[in-house]
Amino acid sequence: MPYIDRNGMNIYYEYLHSNSLNQQIDAILIIHGAGMNLRSWDLIVPYLQQHYHILRYDLRRHGFSDKGPDRVA
């Protein structure tokens, strides 16, 4: 699984290449809402992938990303 290390926490991401044959394709970043994960985009990704490369990731404490340290005030 691909992860980015951010301050000691692993953040899960996926980079999906476009299905287009066009050589100059833009990339878009899609971020899920609270209480969800990157899978919430699964139904729309095939349509977006026809025209764009897609970067999506799980926010901290969501999906496959690390929870991170709990803060005590």
Side-chain angles (χ1 to χ4, degrees), residues 3-30:
Y3 287 95
I4 295 173
D5 182 303
R6 181 74 179 142
N7 297 327
M9 288 186 298
N10 288 320
I11 303 297
Y12 177 74
Y13 74 94
E14 291 180 351
Y15 186 81
L16 308 169
H17 292 275
S18 173
N19 297 329
S20 174
L21 298 177
N22 185 348
Q23 294 298 315
Q24 294 189 339
I25 299 291
D26 292 325
I28 59 173
L29 170 67
I30 52 178

Side-chain angles (χ1 to χ4, degrees), residues 25-39:
I25 299 291
D26 292 325
I28 59 173
L29 170 67
I30 52 178
I31 305 170
H32 61 80
M36 303 174 99
N37 62 36
L38 63 77
R39 297 284 167 232

